[in-house]
Amino acid sequence: MQQAVRIALHERASPETAADSPADKSRARLRDGFESVRARSLALAAPLSPEDMTAQSMEDASPTKWHLAHTSWFFETFILKDFAPGYRVFHDGYGFLFNSYYEAVGARHARPRRGLLTRPAVAEVMDYRRHVDDAMLAVIDAVDDGTWQRIAPLLELGLHHEMQHQELLLTDILHLLAQNPLAPAYRDAAPAAPAQTASLRWCDCDGGVVEIGHDGEGFAFDCEGPRHQTLLQPFALASRLVTNGEWLAFMADGGYAKPGLWLSDGWARCQAEGWQAPLYWQPLDGGDREGGGDGTWASMSLAGLQPVDPAAPVCHVSLYEADAFARWAGARLPMEAELETALEGSVRETRSLTGNLLSSGALKPLPAAEAGEAASPAQLVGDVWEWTQSPYAPYPGFRAPEGAVGEYNGKFMCNQFVLRGGSCVTPDAQLRLSYRNFFYPHQRWQFTGLRLAKDT
């Protein structure tokens, strides 16, 4: 079973097709993408029991069963109801149970109570997925080219939506398993060999007027555009992510006990919730529970409780913690335009957008390799989402689409911060130069870390 899951985690390339028209090529590509993405969701859920899939560990998380049903509801609601003549809704109550936040679509079950939905059972949710899959494949194959032009953008949006939920499925199940005193593993993994911490150097950028945002080629979420100019002052980025070893030094120096390092709201949250270390860390062999970095620490991971690797990127920290660390280190957090500019330069240099993403199968952040004197920073893709100091706000000229799909991103542009680069559980096809993730500054359960920046 585990081997089958590992194989299914990898991206599947679209097969070659002899179709001549752009519509036929689009149809073949998205049909294959639909089958691949839907299969990967099931592969990610395969190691879980029905009990695992039903429980909800906190308000920000959702049960695996809900993720599997909600992503099916998305296709049913936005494609099948409108474009599949004679389509039979699987269950009249599912629209209420599995709508997430689409006010235009109707009322919905309260998010904090999703874990109370013991019914429908997991088996019925799987029947629902099969029902939707069969209908979707029939629509993809049967509709005329004119109708396909209307369906294709919604289908592509639905695929990227489900990829987002695949990442959420893994982060949510990690949070759930971390509540279990037995620290069970989602998936067993062999212990990693100790790694050396890559040296840190600074990569300079002259700044100036740069362009950021999606350029219109290929898929992007609406919040990634329009492409626009912005002015950057000269800056430098650290050549790699901040490591656990560096975070231990921050802790040993009383970083969690010095209010002068913290934003006011962050200090209040730190005190109210008793933060002394990153989420999931626990001290072993004399580790100091009062925030010191002495002793040995372990951290809950998708492979169960594991020793903290000093060379690996620190993970599961909030924006508040990341900002306090940057101030302690005499640096700052990057702006999102700085990270996008650096990533664009790296792609030009390496001709690739690759890193430790979901397809690697690691399911954890990995230490950086020694990069020598490369012009671009390492680890710009994968491992951990990198906090920025940029608020999640609309780009100049942004307009949300009309209708329910316009609720996808725009209405969340308040009180959240942008993260860039993807994580070790981000599906590979999800990443682009312009991809913007966003979370509230106190949230820690995602695979979130940081890179240092400074003005030059």
Side-chain angles (χ1 to χ4, degrees), residues 193-198 240-246 248 307-314 365-369 379 383:
Q196 294 294 316
T197 300
R240 56 161 173 76
L241 299 165
V242 169
T243 66
N244 290 319
E246 290 162 337
L248 285 165
V308 167
D309 180 355
V314 70
L366 298 175
Q379 296 183 300
D383 289 304

Side-chain angles (χ1 to χ4, degrees), residues 41-200:
S41 294
L42 296 182
L44 292 172
L48 305 175
S49 69
E51 293 82 1
D52 292 330
M53 288 194 249
T54 301
Q56 180 180 18
S57 56
M58 63 166 176
E59 292 187 8
D60 287 334
S62 297
T64 295
K65 180 177 72 175
W66 189 91
H67 287 299
L68 295 175
H70 166 71
T71 49
S72 302
W73 168 89
F74 189 96
F75 290 113
E76 182 176 66
T77 300
F78 294 112
I79 295 179
L80 294 176
K81 286 184 177 181
D82 291 336
F83 297 103
Y87 174 72
R88 175 182 58 83
V89 172
F90 185 82
H91 191 292
D92 291 336
Y94 281 14
F96 179 79
L97 293 183
F98 301 124
N99 180 3
S100 53
Y101 50 70
Y102 295 90
E103 301 284 353
V105 176
R108 60 201 179 279
H109 185 69
R111 178 174 182 168
R113 299 174 64 83
R114 290 172 184 169
L116 301 180
L117 297 175
T118 58
R119 300 184 186 184
V122 170
E124 188 172 343
V125 168
M126 296 303 183
D127 289 341
Y128 179 38
R129 286 184 67 89
R130 284 189 288 271
H131 176 85
V132 168
D133 287 354
D134 289 345
M136 281 294 302
L137 292 173
V139 164
I140 292 170
D141 290 340
V143 296
D144 59 71
D145 284 355
T147 304
W148 174 251
Q149 295 304 320
R150 298 168 62 194
I151 290 176
L154 293 171
L155 174 54
E156 191 141 39
L157 176 64
L159 296 179
H160 283 266
H161 166 259
E162 182 147 353
M163 283 188 268
Q164 288 181 316
H165 278 272
Q166 290 168 353
E167 180 162 3
L168 288 169
L169 185 157
L170 289 171
T171 54
D172 291 354
I173 200 65
L174 171 58
H175 191 271
L176 175 66
L177 296 177
Q179 312 313 306
N180 190 321
L182 300 180
Y186 161 80
R187 193 188 78 186
D188 293 332
Q196 294 294 316
T197 300
S199 57
L200 188 146

